Amino acid sequence: MIFSKWIAVAIFASTLAAPATAATVSAVRGEIVPPPVSVENGYVYNWRVQAFDEAQDVKLTSDIGVNGGRKIAAGTKVDSHMIFLNVKNGVSQRHYGLTGSLYNDPGPVSFTFDGTILGVMADLNGLREAASNSQLASSSTLYPGSFEARGMEENDWRNKNNDWFTYSGNTIWLGMNVSQPGDWIRVVTAAPSPVPVPAAGLLLPIGFGALGLMRRRKKAAQAKA
């Protein structure tokens, strides 16, 4: 009877779902990094385009605006990611050439996520980023709000002569040409669906526990005999 109850509990538990792990999963010519302490313009610098994961599995409490005049509706479950290239005063860096041959330009960068891209915030002064920080910012990172040239100065993806991006599915391709201040953009993706916990993984420890209980009861019965 006890063993059958353990099995019933195990079967019920096996139907539960575990949260999916959301992340930036791969980069080409870019780098995935942990969330920095601050993304203020004078705090963090890099020589290659970097990305980090911000708030994950967020159910939006209000609409958020993205490039193209579109909005992602309240109630949507999303993940947020930031991509940036920021250099010190008096220095310039570029990652935008189609071939990587111009001015030692390493070429365009791409990042792939584990959810479909819903929209990008890359407006010139970072107004959309600042407006969505209360919902999408990393809890361990300090943000500056909007300021002049926080985002991309241009977004002519057809020319690819300066700042640009384009995306399809769960991959974004982009180029950045920066001096000071750098470029900071936010990518919003659909939060992955919860992943069912494998039944075998739950049944194994429960099964061992039930077998141990049966063994102890058998020994106790033998001792009384």
Side-chain angles (χ1 to χ4, degrees):
M1 177 65 72
I2 294 177
F3 181 76
S4 62
K5 287 182 179 179
W6 275 100
I7 293 298
V9 171
I11 293 173
F12 171 75
S14 69
T15 65
L16 300 178
T21 301
T24 310
V25 296
S26 66
V28 176
R29 298 191 185 90
E31 182 180 16
I32 303 168
V33 297
V37 173
S38 171
V39 288
E40 295 174 295
N41 192 58
Y43 185 88
V44 59
Y45 301 103
N46 54 10
W47 283 99
R48 63 191 301 190
V49 179
Q50 294 178 323
F52 65 91
D53 296 324
E54 300 183 287
Q56 305 288 288
D57 200 32
V58 175
K59 186 176 183 180
L60 296 177
T61 56
S62 60
D63 296 353
I64 57 172
V66 293
N67 275 43
R70 297 184 302 105
K71 290 187 176 181
I72 301 174
T76 307
K77 294 195 76 172
V78 302
D79 300 326
S80 185
H81 321 268
M82 179 159 282
I83 300 174
F84 69 101
L85 179 63
N86 192 46
V87 295
K88 294 183 178 181
N89 280 320
V91 178
S92 63
Q93 179 65 299
R94 66 188 75 204
H95 286 253
Y96 66 79
L98 289 175
T99 64
S101 61
L102 183 64
Y103 304 117
N104 296 317
D105 176 10
V109 174
S110 69
F111 292 97
T112 298
F113 310 95
D114 61 359
T116 302
I117 297 174
L118 302 178
V120 178
M121 302 176 189
D123 53 297
L124 176 59
N125 295 330
L127 295 174
R128 293 187 181 97
E129 174 202 329
S132 61
N133 277 342
S134 61
Q135 298 190 77
L136 301 181
S138 165
S139 60
S140 61
T141 302
L142 180 64
Y143 291 76
S146 63
F147 58 81
E148 186 176 359
R150 168 80 173 176
M152 287 184 163
E153 286 70 33
E154 299 178 25
N155 183 26
D156 188 353
W157 63 267
R158 295 160 298 184
N159 244 346
K160 297 183 173 62
N161 283 331
N162 208 333
D163 296 337
W164 62 274
F165 72 84
T166 186
Y167 63 87
S168 178
N170 60 347
T171 298
I172 184 171
W173 296 265
L174 65 141
M176 292 178 170
N177 183 18
V178 306
S179 51
Q180 183 59 217
D183 291 340
W184 311 76
I185 70 173
R186 173 169 284 154
V187 181
V188 183
T189 61
S193 300
V195 178
V197 176
L202 286 169
L203 287 172
L204 188 61
I206 294 174
F208 280 135
L211 288 173
L213 178 61
M214 292 178 64
R215 188 170 297 172
R216 288 193 297 272
R217 292 186 63 186
K218 185 176 180 180
K219 287 183 177 179
Q222 289 174 343
K224 291 179 181 179

